[in-house]
Amino acid sequence: YKTFEGDLKWDHNDVTYRILNYSPDLDSELTDDAFARAFKVWSDVTPLTFTRLYDGTADIMISFGKGDHGDPYPFDGKDGLLAHAYPPGKGIQGDAHFDDDENWTLGKGPVVKTRYGNAEGALCHFPFTFEGKSYSTCTTDGRADNLPWCSTTADFGRDKKYGFCPSELLYTIGGNADAAPCVFPFTFEGKEYDGCTTEGRNDGYRWCATTNNFDQDKKYGFCPSRDTAVSGGNSEGEPCHFPFTFLGQSYDACTNEGRGDGRLWCATTASYDDDKKWGFCRDKGYSLFLVAAHEFGHALGLDHSNIRQALMYPMYTYVEDFSLHRDDVAGIQYLYGRREGPVPTPPRPTTPFISKTTTTTPKTVDPNAKDICKVNKFDTITVIKKDLYFFSDGYYWKKSGRGNNGELKGPFRVSERWGALPTVIDAAFEDLLTGYLYFFSGSQFWVYTGQSYVGPRNIEKLGLPASVKVVQGALQRGKYKVLLFSGEEYWRMDVKTQKVDEKGYPRYTQNTFGGVPSQPNDAFQFNGHTYFYWDRFYWRLTSTKLVDRVGYVKYDLLPC
Amino acid sequence: WSLPLKSIHVTFPGDIIKNMTDMELAQSYLTRFGYMEKLQRSGFQSMVSTTNALKKMQQHLGLEETGQLDSATVEAMKQPRCGLPDVAN
């Protein structure tokens, strides 16, 4: 590894970042997530924390731009240069720029996140079949309103799960119109436009007015790239036009004719010969996560490594299961040291991809109907009979307690096993003394033994003050005591008397368990460790209450 | 008999990466990423500079240090990469 001359580094460990704009190629939530994961690559091995700012000046300002984008190092169109970042310091130092002439994906081809429809924001499933035809891109077939859509499972006919694909007819990005869709035709400088345009701008971004008269209303937004759009060339964002004419020949598909580099391209109008409008056809694209992780390495003070497998090697290579090379670890730890103990500020969450909805419950649970890997936040996680249980929206999954590779079963319907319980379970625990199962939802709780139960009863019966409206987590302490968490405090309950101890409680969670979030969603004991759970993350504590690991529930506790 | 295909190379408008010769590509790459500049300042002739710059680049990127513009080196120069220079100036 190599550092910059003078070992440039941040003089503080709580580094801030701000995302100034988004690429039209990738949904903003996927982009936020890719950047957050890229920062986590480094915070996993150093004492650095990364906090996202939404305004003002952050240490690391992140932006997408094309060609000459305002610094002395212009980008070069599609491929070639992908991004650059500046070593730590003030002003432009520390900033990371990504070339928006690239096709930004997660490295394996188009990633199309849907909106609306009935798939709760799931990604398109390519290919999918619709009325006997296979589709590898979004389509407007079957619709009269020209909105592109896709199926989010392999067979639309069977599953009927769908969502709408990025389209300027659905929403815009940035600008000043609060994501309103384009209005066509619109008037700009007296001329009428029937589609998105780059006219009036010198940065190559396509835009539209969100009212029918930009000259009058000045309302605009940038157009999201459709998955069928070209990248680079001189028509970024426009779809291929098939057939098109090139040197007198007609083409029905992308071609590499006319190019020495073998890359596939197409015209975006009926005749390349007449209009000279073209772009590169979509390929696997570049993983925003991998490129960002590399650039953030620069922003933290690492120069290029000459080890080919290292993240800081200057060339891009896609790797499916990324892990930081020991050379990168050695480099960053040379600058900032090793990470020991807790991370004081948890990574800021991005908006979950799936929002909670209460829908009609199907009679049998199709494993594909509720994918645990698409659940961003569980209602509660608890341990029952040494197995880890994940509850979400009326369903639960069970993971056997044998190490991290235990078998995962589910989803099961909560109502089939514990019929009296409501859809959302806030907390649950198993009383080790009696084997009774306690479930909490809002201000009520139930106690189950086998199929028999008592409840619902008000949590005030446990001696909790009326100000406590919900029990968010429960943690068994020894055989007779359970800690009940609510807000920033916790109470200790004696399971023999079913009452909380009055003396010495409540206590502040963070005073006892340093380094965990102040208001955890849950807490549980698993495989000899205490876990605190908040949003998508967990904090694992040793028996001496030291945080020895912070991670994603999905990736560490679940096989996602 | 089929006629041999006649490949035509077109200069596409807006295509920043033009149909360069390998030597043009090398000169541009070595300069852009900092391998050439230091050597040119020292007053060597261009060919010597290029050879040394190539060696330095090959060493930096873990390629065989031939000092020649061999196929592996040309291929490496065409790979997508980070825009930060490899050699600071």
Side-chain angles (χ1 to χ4, degrees), chain A residues 136-216:
Chain A
S136 295
T137 60
C138 298
T139 179
T140 55
D141 287 358
R143 296 197 63 87
D145 55 11
N146 216 24
L147 283 176
W149 68 278
C150 70
S151 172
T152 58
T153 67
D155 186 347
F156 177 77
R158 185 191 61 200
D159 305 314
K160 300 277 189 294
K161 283 285 185 188
Y162 78 103
F164 291 100
C165 302
S167 162
E168 68 278 9
L169 303 176
L170 208 58
Y171 65 94
T172 53
I173 305 166
N176 63 359
D178 292 329
C182 296
V183 170
F184 298 125
F186 66 89
T187 307
F188 168 55
E189 293 189 340
K191 193 178 156 192
E192 216 166 65
Y193 290 83
D194 285 318
C196 299
T197 180
T198 55
E199 285 297 314
R201 301 192 62 87
N202 57 15
D203 57 10
Y205 280 96
R206 297 165 67 242
W207 69 279
C208 69
T210 57
T211 67
N212 61 9
N213 193 332
F214 177 81
D215 298 338
Q216 186 184 297

Side-chain angles (χ1 to χ4, degrees), chain A residues 195-197 206 228-231 234-240 266 268 277:
Chain A
C196 299
T197 180
R206 297 165 67 242
T228 50
V230 298
S231 54
N234 59 1
S235 303
E236 170 85 27
E238 301 282 344
C240 289
C266 69
T268 56
K277 298 294 276 181

Side-chain angles (χ1 to χ4, degrees), chain A residues 506-520:
Chain A
R507 292 182 183 175
Y508 281 106
T509 304
Q510 281 202 322
N511 285 357
T512 310
F513 304 93
V516 307
S518 60
Q519 297 192 44

